[in-house]
mmCIF file with all atom_site columns, all heavy atoms in Angstrom:
data_model
loop_
_atom_site.group_PDB
_atom_site.id
_atom_site.type_symbol
_atom_site.label_atom_id
_atom_site.label_alt_id
_atom_site.label_comp_id
_atom_site.label_asym_id
_atom_site.label_entity_id
_atom_site.label_seq_id
_atom_site.pdbx_PDB_ins_code
_atom_site.Cartn_x
_atom_site.Cartn_y
_atom_site.Cartn_z
_atom_site.occupancy
_atom_site.B_iso_or_equiv
_atom_site.pdbx_formal_charge
_atom_site.auth_seq_id
_atom_site.auth_comp_id
_atom_site.auth_asym_id
_atom_site.auth_atom_id
_atom_site.pdbx_PDB_model_num
ATOM 1   N N   . LYS A 1 334 ? -35.489 11.968 -28.500 1.00 97.00 ? 334 LYS A N   1
ATOM 2   C CA  . LYS A 1 334 ? -34.260 12.468 -27.861 1.00 97.00 ? 334 LYS A CA  1
ATOM 3   C C   . LYS A 1 334 ? -34.521 12.883 -26.415 1.00 97.00 ? 334 LYS A C   1
ATOM 4   O O   . LYS A 1 334 ? -33.944 13.834 -25.896 1.00 97.00 ? 334 LYS A O   1
ATOM 5   C CB  . LYS A 1 334 ? -33.682 13.646 -28.653 1.00 97.00 ? 334 LYS A CB  1
ATOM 6   C CG  . LYS A 1 334 ? -33.251 13.285 -30.060 1.00 97.00 ? 334 LYS A CG  1
ATOM 7   C CD  . LYS A 1 334 ? -32.574 14.467 -30.762 1.00 97.00 ? 334 LYS A CD  1
ATOM 8   C CE  . LYS A 1 334 ? -32.100 14.051 -32.147 1.00 97.00 ? 334 LYS A CE  1
ATOM 9   N NZ  . LYS A 1 334 ? -31.439 15.180 -32.867 1.00 97.00 ? 334 LYS A NZ  1
ATOM 10  N N   . ASP A 1 335 ? -35.359 12.071 -25.771 1.00 97.00 ? 335 ASP A N   1
ATOM 11  C CA  . ASP A 1 335 ? -35.665 12.309 -24.368 1.00 97.00 ? 335 ASP A CA  1
ATOM 12  C C   . ASP A 1 335 ? -34.678 11.531 -23.512 1.00 97.00 ? 335 ASP A C   1
ATOM 13  O O   . ASP A 1 335 ? -35.004 10.487 -22.932 1.00 97.00 ? 335 ASP A O   1
ATOM 14  C CB  . ASP A 1 335 ? -37.112 11.899 -24.074 1.00 97.00 ? 335 ASP A CB  1
ATOM 15  C CG  . ASP A 1 335 ? -37.597 12.381 -22.713 1.00 97.00 ? 335 ASP A CG  1
ATOM 16  O OD1 . ASP A 1 335 ? -36.749 12.824 -21.906 1.00 97.00 ? 335 ASP A OD1 1
ATOM 17  O OD2 . ASP A 1 335 ? -38.819 12.332 -22.447 1.00 97.00 ? 335 ASP A OD2 1
ATOM 18  N N   . TRP A 1 336 ? -33.452 12.043 -23.443 1.00 97.00 ? 336 TRP A N   1
ATOM 19  C CA  . TRP A 1 336 ? -32.388 11.314 -22.750 1.00 97.00 ? 336 TRP A CA  1
ATOM 20  C C   . TRP A 1 336 ? -32.647 11.226 -21.241 1.00 97.00 ? 336 TRP A C   1
ATOM 21  O O   . TRP A 1 336 ? -32.277 10.228 -20.605 1.00 97.00 ? 336 TRP A O   1
ATOM 22  C CB  . TRP A 1 336 ? -31.037 11.970 -22.995 1.00 97.00 ? 336 TRP A CB  1
ATOM 23  C CG  . TRP A 1 336 ? -30.761 12.302 -24.438 1.00 97.00 ? 336 TRP A CG  1
ATOM 24  C CD1 . TRP A 1 336 ? -30.262 13.461 -24.921 1.00 97.00 ? 336 TRP A CD1 1
ATOM 25  C CD2 . TRP A 1 336 ? -30.958 11.469 -25.590 1.00 97.00 ? 336 TRP A CD2 1
ATOM 26  N NE1 . TRP A 1 336 ? -30.145 13.423 -26.289 1.00 97.00 ? 336 TRP A NE1 1
ATOM 27  C CE2 . TRP A 1 336 ? -30.575 12.194 -26.725 1.00 97.00 ? 336 TRP A CE2 1
ATOM 28  C CE3 . TRP A 1 336 ? -31.454 10.167 -25.783 1.00 97.00 ? 336 TRP A CE3 1
ATOM 29  C CZ2 . TRP A 1 336 ? -30.638 11.689 -28.013 1.00 97.00 ? 336 TRP A CZ2 1
ATOM 30  C CZ3 . TRP A 1 336 ? -31.534 9.656  -27.065 1.00 97.00 ? 336 TRP A CZ3 1
ATOM 31  C CH2 . TRP A 1 336 ? -31.114 10.404 -28.158 1.00 97.00 ? 336 TRP A CH2 1
ATOM 32  N N   . LYS A 1 337 ? -33.256 12.242 -20.689 1.00 96.00 ? 337 LYS A N   1
ATOM 33  C CA  . LYS A 1 337 ? -33.527 12.242 -19.241 1.00 96.00 ? 337 LYS A CA  1
ATOM 34  C C   . LYS A 1 337 ? -34.469 11.113 -18.869 1.00 96.00 ? 337 LYS A C   1
ATOM 35  O O   . LYS A 1 337 ? -34.243 10.392 -17.885 1.00 96.00 ? 337 LYS A O   1
ATOM 36  C CB  . LYS A 1 337 ? -34.119 13.584 -18.826 1.00 96.00 ? 337 LYS A CB  1
ATOM 37  C CG  . LYS A 1 337 ? -34.292 13.719 -17.323 1.00 96.00 ? 337 LYS A CG  1
ATOM 38  C CD  . LYS A 1 337 ? -34.771 15.116 -16.942 1.00 96.00 ? 337 LYS A CD  1
ATOM 39  C CE  . LYS A 1 337 ? -34.924 15.250 -15.438 1.00 96.00 ? 337 LYS A CE  1
ATOM 40  N NZ  . LYS A 1 337 ? -35.385 16.610 -15.038 1.00 96.00 ? 337 LYS A NZ  1
ATOM 41  N N   . ALA A 1 338 ? -35.539 10.937 -19.639 1.00 97.00 ? 338 ALA A N   1
ATOM 42  C CA  . ALA A 1 338 ? -36.490 9.850  -19.359 1.00 97.00 ? 338 ALA A CA  1
ATOM 43  C C   . ALA A 1 338 ? -35.833 8.494  -19.557 1.00 97.00 ? 338 ALA A C   1
ATOM 44  O O   . ALA A 1 338 ? -36.071 7.551  -18.794 1.00 97.00 ? 338 ALA A O   1
ATOM 45  C CB  . ALA A 1 338 ? -37.718 9.990  -20.259 1.00 97.00 ? 338 ALA A CB  1
ATOM 46  N N   . LEU A 1 339 ? -34.999 8.396  -20.576 1.00 97.00 ? 339 LEU A N   1
ATOM 47  C CA  . LEU A 1 339 ? -34.346 7.131  -20.869 1.00 97.00 ? 339 LEU A CA  1
ATOM 48  C C   . LEU A 1 339 ? -33.357 6.746  -19.757 1.00 97.00 ? 339 LEU A C   1
ATOM 49  O O   . LEU A 1 339 ? -33.216 5.564  -19.424 1.00 97.00 ? 339 LEU A O   1
ATOM 50  C CB  . LEU A 1 339 ? -33.617 7.238  -22.227 1.00 97.00 ? 339 LEU A CB  1
ATOM 51  C CG  . LEU A 1 339 ? -33.299 5.932  -22.947 1.00 97.00 ? 339 LEU A CG  1
ATOM 52  C CD1 . LEU A 1 339 ? -34.583 5.185  -23.299 1.00 97.00 ? 339 LEU A CD1 1
ATOM 53  C CD2 . LEU A 1 339 ? -32.505 6.218  -24.222 1.00 97.00 ? 339 LEU A CD2 1
ATOM 54  N N   . GLN A 1 340 ? -32.709 7.747  -19.176 1.00 96.00 ? 340 GLN A N   1
ATOM 55  C CA  . GLN A 1 340 ? -31.734 7.459  -18.133 1.00 96.00 ? 340 GLN A CA  1
ATOM 56  C C   . GLN A 1 340 ? -32.371 6.915  -16.860 1.00 96.00 ? 340 GLN A C   1
ATOM 57  O O   . GLN A 1 340 ? -31.680 6.318  -16.030 1.00 96.00 ? 340 GLN A O   1
ATOM 58  C CB  . GLN A 1 340 ? -30.945 8.731  -17.799 1.00 96.00 ? 340 GLN A CB  1
ATOM 59  C CG  . GLN A 1 340 ? -29.909 9.096  -18.861 1.00 96.00 ? 340 GLN A CG  1
ATOM 60  C CD  . GLN A 1 340 ? -29.161 10.373 -18.515 1.00 96.00 ? 340 GLN A CD  1
ATOM 61  O OE1 . GLN A 1 340 ? -28.617 10.515 -17.429 1.00 96.00 ? 340 GLN A OE1 1
ATOM 62  N NE2 . GLN A 1 340 ? -29.145 11.325 -19.439 1.00 96.00 ? 340 GLN A NE2 1
ATOM 63  N N   . GLU A 1 341 ? -33.669 7.099  -16.709 1.00 96.00 ? 341 GLU A N   1
ATOM 64  C CA  . GLU A 1 341 ? -34.344 6.527  -15.535 1.00 96.00 ? 341 GLU A CA  1
ATOM 65  C C   . GLU A 1 341 ? -34.257 5.009  -15.539 1.00 96.00 ? 341 GLU A C   1
ATOM 66  O O   . GLU A 1 341 ? -34.410 4.365  -14.499 1.00 96.00 ? 341 GLU A O   1
ATOM 67  C CB  . GLU A 1 341 ? -35.831 6.961  -15.528 1.00 96.00 ? 341 GLU A CB  1
ATOM 68  C CG  . GLU A 1 341 ? -36.033 8.444  -15.322 1.00 96.00 ? 341 GLU A CG  1
ATOM 69  C CD  . GLU A 1 341 ? -35.564 8.902  -13.954 1.00 96.00 ? 341 GLU A CD  1
ATOM 70  O OE1 . GLU A 1 341 ? -35.761 8.143  -12.974 1.00 96.00 ? 341 GLU A OE1 1
ATOM 71  O OE2 . GLU A 1 341 ? -34.971 9.998  -13.855 1.00 96.00 ? 341 GLU A OE2 1
ATOM 72  N N   . PHE A 1 342 ? -33.996 4.438  -16.714 1.00 97.00 ? 342 PHE A N   1
ATOM 73  C CA  . PHE A 1 342 ? -33.932 2.986  -16.852 1.00 97.00 ? 342 PHE A CA  1
ATOM 74  C C   . PHE A 1 342 ? -32.501 2.488  -17.033 1.00 97.00 ? 342 PHE A C   1
ATOM 75  O O   . PHE A 1 342 ? -32.288 1.305  -17.254 1.00 97.00 ? 342 PHE A O   1
ATOM 76  C CB  . PHE A 1 342 ? -34.773 2.530  -18.049 1.00 97.00 ? 342 PHE A CB  1
ATOM 77  C CG  . PHE A 1 342 ? -36.228 2.893  -17.941 1.00 97.00 ? 342 PHE A CG  1
ATOM 78  C CD1 . PHE A 1 342 ? -36.698 4.098  -18.461 1.00 97.00 ? 342 PHE A CD1 1
ATOM 79  C CD2 . PHE A 1 342 ? -37.133 2.047  -17.306 1.00 97.00 ? 342 PHE A CD2 1
ATOM 80  C CE1 . PHE A 1 342 ? -38.036 4.448  -18.356 1.00 97.00 ? 342 PHE A CE1 1
ATOM 81  C CE2 . PHE A 1 342 ? -38.470 2.393  -17.198 1.00 97.00 ? 342 PHE A CE2 1
ATOM 82  C CZ  . PHE A 1 342 ? -38.918 3.593  -17.721 1.00 97.00 ? 342 PHE A CZ  1
ATOM 83  N N   . ASN A 1 362 ? -23.128 13.901 -17.424 1.00 97.00 ? 362 ASN A N   1
ATOM 84  C CA  . ASN A 1 362 ? -24.524 13.778 -17.844 1.00 97.00 ? 362 ASN A CA  1
ATOM 85  C C   . ASN A 1 362 ? -24.584 13.290 -19.278 1.00 97.00 ? 362 ASN A C   1
ATOM 86  O O   . ASN A 1 362 ? -23.943 13.856 -20.178 1.00 97.00 ? 362 ASN A O   1
ATOM 87  C CB  . ASN A 1 362 ? -25.228 15.132 -17.716 1.00 97.00 ? 362 ASN A CB  1
ATOM 88  C CG  . ASN A 1 362 ? -26.727 15.011 -17.925 1.00 97.00 ? 362 ASN A CG  1
ATOM 89  O OD1 . ASN A 1 362 ? -27.323 13.997 -17.555 1.00 97.00 ? 362 ASN A OD1 1
ATOM 90  N ND2 . ASN A 1 362 ? -27.329 16.009 -18.536 1.00 97.00 ? 362 ASN A ND2 1
ATOM 91  N N   . ILE A 1 363 ? -25.342 12.251 -19.536 1.00 97.00 ? 363 ILE A N   1
ATOM 92  C CA  . ILE A 1 363 ? -25.440 11.672 -20.877 1.00 97.00 ? 363 ILE A CA  1
ATOM 93  C C   . ILE A 1 363 ? -26.459 12.456 -21.698 1.00 97.00 ? 363 ILE A C   1
ATOM 94  O O   . ILE A 1 363 ? -27.657 12.417 -21.418 1.00 97.00 ? 363 ILE A O   1
ATOM 95  C CB  . ILE A 1 363 ? -25.828 10.182 -20.808 1.00 97.00 ? 363 ILE A CB  1
ATOM 96  C CG1 . ILE A 1 363 ? -24.784 9.417  -19.994 1.00 97.00 ? 363 ILE A CG1 1
ATOM 97  C CG2 . ILE A 1 363 ? -25.949 9.611  -22.213 1.00 97.00 ? 363 ILE A CG2 1
ATOM 98  C CD1 . ILE A 1 363 ? -25.130 7.950  -19.786 1.00 97.00 ? 363 ILE A CD1 1
ATOM 99  N N   . TRP A 1 396 ? -26.743 2.397  -23.506 1.00 98.00 ? 396 TRP A N   1
ATOM 100 C CA  . TRP A 1 396 ? -25.462 3.095  -23.332 1.00 98.00 ? 396 TRP A CA  1
ATOM 101 C C   . TRP A 1 396 ? -24.435 2.104  -22.770 1.00 98.00 ? 396 TRP A C   1
ATOM 102 O O   . TRP A 1 396 ? -24.117 2.129  -21.580 1.00 98.00 ? 396 TRP A O   1
ATOM 103 C CB  . TRP A 1 396 ? -25.630 4.263  -22.376 1.00 98.00 ? 396 TRP A CB  1
ATOM 104 C CG  . TRP A 1 396 ? -26.386 5.429  -22.967 1.00 98.00 ? 396 TRP A CG  1
ATOM 105 C CD1 . TRP A 1 396 ? -26.002 6.213  -24.016 1.00 98.00 ? 396 TRP A CD1 1
ATOM 106 C CD2 . TRP A 1 396 ? -27.636 5.968  -22.508 1.00 98.00 ? 396 TRP A CD2 1
ATOM 107 N NE1 . TRP A 1 396 ? -26.947 7.200  -24.261 1.00 98.00 ? 396 TRP A NE1 1
ATOM 108 C CE2 . TRP A 1 396 ? -27.962 7.071  -23.336 1.00 98.00 ? 396 TRP A CE2 1
ATOM 109 C CE3 . TRP A 1 396 ? -28.517 5.627  -21.487 1.00 98.00 ? 396 TRP A CE3 1
ATOM 110 C CZ2 . TRP A 1 396 ? -29.121 7.831  -23.169 1.00 98.00 ? 396 TRP A CZ2 1
ATOM 111 C CZ3 . TRP A 1 396 ? -29.678 6.368  -21.315 1.00 98.00 ? 396 TRP A CZ3 1
ATOM 112 C CH2 . TRP A 1 396 ? -29.963 7.453  -22.163 1.00 98.00 ? 396 TRP A CH2 1
#
Side-chain angles (χ1 to χ4, degrees):
K334 297 185 178 180
D335 192 347
W336 313 134
K337 186 175 180 179
L339 201 62
Q340 285 179 52
E341 294 295 322
F342 300 91
N362 189 34
I363 301 176
W396 287 296

